[in-house]
């Protein structure tokens, strides 16, 4: 084996330590300044209040969906078909719209910050591109999960959203967090390189998240089905999870094109 | 010296216009074919069964379906050149050309996607009573349109730095492949009910001979139009790049 080959091997085995080092550095900086957490957190809480106010009137509005016409439409039948218009899946959908906006308002910081302070060159010299991506992804994921863990219970208390089937609910939240953090991280790196403003970040990221939100709504519907078959839960939550996995795979493969000059 | 240079320039221009005329037979053919499609859509193909009021609404198929197919084909052409740009070592000039090809495909894709969305929406308006119904096909095409748009936004944001623009745009095109493939495989299965007419192209009995004749001609005409437009855009790019090279 040539010496360069050995070096490449050593480089490859080092990336995990490098990623963890970057994560620790970001977390330490975050604990000192609390920029990302407070930006995403305040944004989410403020929009939560806006949402709560706007949807307060919806609480008592019932709706009827008739999937097939019965032989005789009686009052009893209609009462059975009544369900609230503002039900748990739609509440979940709005909560995630909120998370998407919050992520794209706050998570750009992690790369833009490095560009602004000029530390980006040091970072580029001292570790591989993959390590930078994984470190930043983990940091963003942790910030997002902390915000989600504090905001979701408040949202549930405020709007009366139920958890449905709890394990599936947690899995949906977790896979959703992974998908969102993965997209926000790679697009954040792209937008920072384009020296784009926040508008560019949103314009690049949100179209990618439309499909993600469709998968999420599909999984959210399954969570609230009483006694849903396990196959359906695995299929729908797995479908949501696969989005994050695919974005991460693509990002790891392509990140050095963004990162290296 | 200067006059002789000018003379050679003029002679090359003349020569290229002659060769352009020599190769123009298929462009003329395309024009005639497009005329035939427009004529055929209104006079050869009759109204279709199942569309109500004489079935005239179905005539939009000759313009809507080819645009919709091209909208997705263009994306894959763009992604092909983007991947080629990233993973294949080329000379700077060749690489810039590959990037231009990718960008041109995306621009054409945006155009055809817009056309497909508008024609689809018109059809939805007259057939289903509302111009937008959140039908799975409508959702997919509008997401596709947004993906094209954000690719073009990224390119516009990096207008002054061609090398970085090429690299970042190629990366974005490949990442956007993830949502794009969900549009093909997952979204039609998420929403079970669709009011969109089925893929009549693959059913032998669904189309009469007149419909097939006009529809297949429409496909050919639109594809030729796409190739021609791409050629023109690429030639314009080359002229612009050549001028900038001379100035630099």
């Amino acid at each position: 084996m040539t010496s360069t080959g050995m070096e490449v091997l050593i480089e490859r085995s080092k990336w995990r330590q490098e990623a963890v080092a970057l994560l620790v550095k970001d977390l330490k900086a975050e604990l000192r300044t609390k920029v990302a957490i407070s930006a995403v957190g305040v944004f989410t809480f403020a929009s939560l209040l806006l949402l709560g106010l706007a949807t307060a009137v919806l609480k008592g509005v019932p709706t009827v969906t008739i999937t097939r016409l019965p032989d005789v439409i009686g009052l009893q039948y209609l009462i059975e078909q009544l369900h609230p218009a503002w039900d748990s899946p739609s509440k979940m959908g709005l909560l995630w719209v909120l998370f998407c906006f919050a992520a794209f308002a706050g998570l750009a910081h992690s790369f833009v910050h490095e560009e602004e302070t000029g530390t980006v060159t040091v970072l580029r010299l001292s570790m591989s591109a993959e390590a930078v991506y994984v470190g930043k992804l983990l940091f963003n994921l942790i910030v997002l999960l902390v915000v989600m863990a504090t905001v979701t219970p408040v949202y549930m208390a405020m709007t009366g959203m139920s958890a449905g089937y709890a394990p599936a609910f947690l899995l949906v939240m977790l896979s959703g967090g992974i998908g969102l953090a993965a997209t926000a991280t790679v697009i954040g790196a792209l937008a920072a390189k384009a020296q784009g403003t926040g508008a560019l970040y949103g314009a690049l990221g949100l179209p990618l998240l439309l499909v993600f939100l469709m998968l999420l709504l599909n999984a959210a519907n399954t969570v609230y089905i009483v006694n849903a078959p396990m196959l359906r839960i695995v299929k729908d939550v797995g479908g949501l999870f696969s989005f994050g996995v695919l974005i991460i795979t693509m990002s790891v493969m392509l990140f050095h094109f963004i990162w290296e000059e | 010296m200067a006059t002789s240079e000018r003379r050679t320039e003029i002679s090359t221009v003349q020569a290229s216009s002659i060769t352009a005329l020599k190769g123009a037979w298929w462009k003329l053919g395309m024009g005639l074919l497009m005329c035939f499609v427009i004529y055929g859509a209104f006079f050869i193909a009759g109204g279709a069964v199942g569309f109500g009021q004489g079935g005239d609404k179905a005539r939009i198929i000759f313009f809507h379906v080819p645009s919709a197919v091209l909208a997705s084909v263009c994306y894959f052409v763009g992604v092909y050149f983007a991947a080629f740009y990233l993973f294949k070592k080329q000379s700077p000039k060749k690489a810039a050309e590959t990037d231009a090809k990718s960008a041109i495909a995306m621009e054409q894709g945006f155009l055809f996607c817009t056309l497909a969305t508008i024609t689809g929406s018109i059809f939805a308006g007259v057939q289903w009573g509302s111009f937008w119904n959140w039908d799975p096909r409508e959702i997919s095409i509008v997401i596709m349109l947004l993906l094209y748009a954000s690719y073009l936004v990224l390119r516009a944001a990096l207008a002054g730095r061609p090398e970085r623009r090429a690299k970042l745009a190629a990366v974005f095109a490949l990442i956007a492949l993830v949502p794009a493939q969900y549009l093909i495989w997952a979204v039609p299965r998420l929403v079970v009910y669709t009011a969109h007419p089925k893929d009549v192209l693959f059913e032998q009995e669904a189309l009469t001979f007149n419909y097939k004749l006009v529809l297949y001609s429409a496909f050919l005409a639109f594809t030729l139009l796409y190739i021609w437009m791409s050629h023109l855009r690429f030639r314009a790019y080359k002229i612009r790049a050549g001028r900038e090279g001379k100035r630099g």
Side-chain angles (χ1 to χ4, degrees):
Chain A
M1 187 178 285
T2 59
S3 64
T4 47
M6 277 301 275
E7 271 165 28
V8 166
L9 256 185
I10 293 164
E11 284 281 306
R12 285 273 173 271
S13 64
K14 253 184 11 189
W15 75 268
R16 217 169 301 166
Q17 297 161 14
E18 287 171 356
V20 173
L22 181 64
L23 173 65
V24 170
K25 173 227 131 196
D26 273 351
L27 283 178
K28 269 186 189 159
E30 179 58 33
L31 286 178
R32 259 179 232 152
T33 60
K34 300 184 185 63
V35 177
I37 281 276
S38 50
V40 180
V42 171
F43 188 100
T44 323
F45 266 107
S47 355
L48 193 69
L49 283 181
L50 287 176
L51 250 171
L53 279 171
T55 56
V57 283
L58 279 176
K59 260 192 166 169
V61 182
T63 180
V64 190
T65 46
I66 299 176
T67 43
R68 63 181 177 82
L69 276 180
D71 304 334
V72 189
I73 301 183
L75 195 60
Q76 187 58 40
Y77 178 82
L78 281 179
I79 289 170
E80 276 169 19
Q81 296 293 314
L82 271 182
H83 66 85
W86 182 221
D87 56 352
S88 286
S90 42
K91 285 170 188 168
M92 183 90 145
L94 262 181
L95 178 65
W96 273 93
V97 169
L98 210 151
F99 283 145
C100 288
F101 283 133
F104 276 85
L107 296 185
H109 182 74
S110 63
F111 281 105
V112 173
H113 175 72
E114 305 274 3
E115 296 270 350
E116 275 173 359
T117 53
T119 45
V120 66
T121 319
V122 183
L123 212 57
R124 199 173 287 134
L125 286 174
S126 57
M127 50 181 74
S128 66
E130 289 84 5
V132 174
Y133 176 71
V134 174
K136 290 286 180 193
L137 171 66
L138 287 177
F139 174 73
N140 283 344
L141 184 62
I142 288 171
V143 171
L144 197 62
L145 287 182
V146 168
V147 170
M148 277 165 62
T150 44
V151 166
T152 310
V154 178
Y155 184 82
M156 288 166 91
M158 224 163 79
T159 61
M161 180 177 89
S162 68
Y165 178 51
F169 178 80
L170 286 176
L171 275 179
V172 166
M173 293 310 251
L174 191 67
S175 346
I178 292 172
L180 184 53
T183 316
T185 308
V186 70
I187 299 299
L190 259 176
K193 260 281 140 45
Q195 272 145 25
T197 50
L200 180 67
Y201 190 30
L204 295 183
L206 292 176
L208 295 186
L209 285 179
L210 282 169
V211 170
F212 166 77
L213 201 69
M214 285 187 77
L215 294 167
L216 197 131
L217 288 177
N218 184 48
N221 267 321
T222 310
V223 168
Y224 294 109
I225 292 173
V226 182
N227 292 328
M230 192 45 89
L231 183 68
R232 185 166 169 183
I233 293 177
V234 170
K235 203 178 76 183
D236 289 354
V237 180
L240 176 63
F241 184 62
S242 70
F243 186 87
V245 172
L246 279 177
I247 289 278
I248 291 174
T249 317
M250 277 306 230
S251 307
V252 168
M253 273 166 60
L254 298 170
F255 193 74
H256 64 275
F257 291 115
I258 306 176
W259 188 241
E260 278 149 22
E261 293 277 282
Chain B
M1 197 59 187
T3 43
S4 72
E5 246 176 41
R6 196 172 170 74
R7 204 164 290 152
T8 46
E9 208 169 82
I10 289 169
S11 65
T12 43
V13 167
Q14 278 171 343
S16 69
S17 65
I18 289 165
T19 45
L21 260 183
K22 260 184 193 164
W25 58 270
W26 66 273
K27 291 165 192 168
L28 289 171
M30 194 225 89
L32 288 175
L33 197 62
M34 202 54 118
C35 291
F36 168 73
V37 168
I38 294 169
Y39 173 80
F42 292 100
F43 298 107
I44 296 178
V49 182
F51 286 85
Q53 295 171 7
D56 286 334
K57 299 156 188 173
R59 295 179 199 276
I60 207 162
I61 182 180
F62 304 117
F63 308 102
H64 172 69
V65 178
S67 329
V69 171
L70 274 179
S72 35
V73 168
C74 286
Y75 189 77
F76 289 104
V77 173
V79 163
Y80 169 76
F81 283 119
F84 201 76
Y85 174 85
L86 285 180
F87 296 109
K88 186 101 176 165
K89 277 239 179 326
Q90 291 167 300
S91 68
K93 196 181 160 214
K94 276 268 175 239
E97 277 176 7
T98 315
D99 171 56
K101 279 177 192 164
S102 174
I104 288 164
M106 291 294 191
E107 277 169 17
Q108 314 281 356
F110 183 70
L111 174 69
F112 284 118
C113 205
T114 314
L115 286 176
T117 313
I118 292 173
T119 48
S121 181
I122 291 171
F123 175 77
V126 294
Q127 179 72 30
W128 305 329
S130 155
F131 287 101
W132 204 259
N133 307 282
W134 295 114
D135 194 80
R137 296 292 189 101
E138 288 180 338
I139 298 172
S140 322
I141 199 129
V142 83
I143 292 178
M144 205 63 217
L145 193 63
L146 267 173
L147 290 177
Y148 276 127
S150 52
Y151 175 89
L152 296 176
V153 164
L154 178 64
R155 287 192 80 88
L158 285 158
R161 290 161 290 176
E163 256 176 53
R164 185 177 280 193
R165 177 180 67 187
K167 222 177 188 192
L168 294 187
V171 170
F172 184 79
L174 283 175
I175 288 175
L177 199 58
V178 174
Q181 59 96 21
Y182 276 95
L183 291 182
I184 301 168
W185 304 112
V187 173
R189 286 168 182 76
L190 287 184
V191 191
V192 180
Y193 176 74
T194 171
H196 192 280
K198 276 181 287 180
D199 294 317
V200 285
L201 306 176
F202 303 112
E203 288 168 24
Q204 289 298 314
E205 302 298 313
L207 294 174
T208 61
F209 174 74
N210 284 354
Y211 259 76
K212 274 182 193 162
L213 180 71
V214 182
L215 187 59
Y216 295 162
S217 314
F219 268 113
L220 188 61
F222 269 78
T223 313
L224 289 176
L225 182 67
Y226 163 60
I227 294 170
W228 188 13
M229 278 160 64
S230 303
H231 266 266
L232 278 180
R233 293 283 298 153
F234 189 63
R235 264 172 62 195
Y237 159 79
K238 268 187 140 173
I239 291 168
R240 215 176 300 129
R243 263 170 52 193
E244 271 160 26
K246 262 182 199 164
R247 216 179 290 153

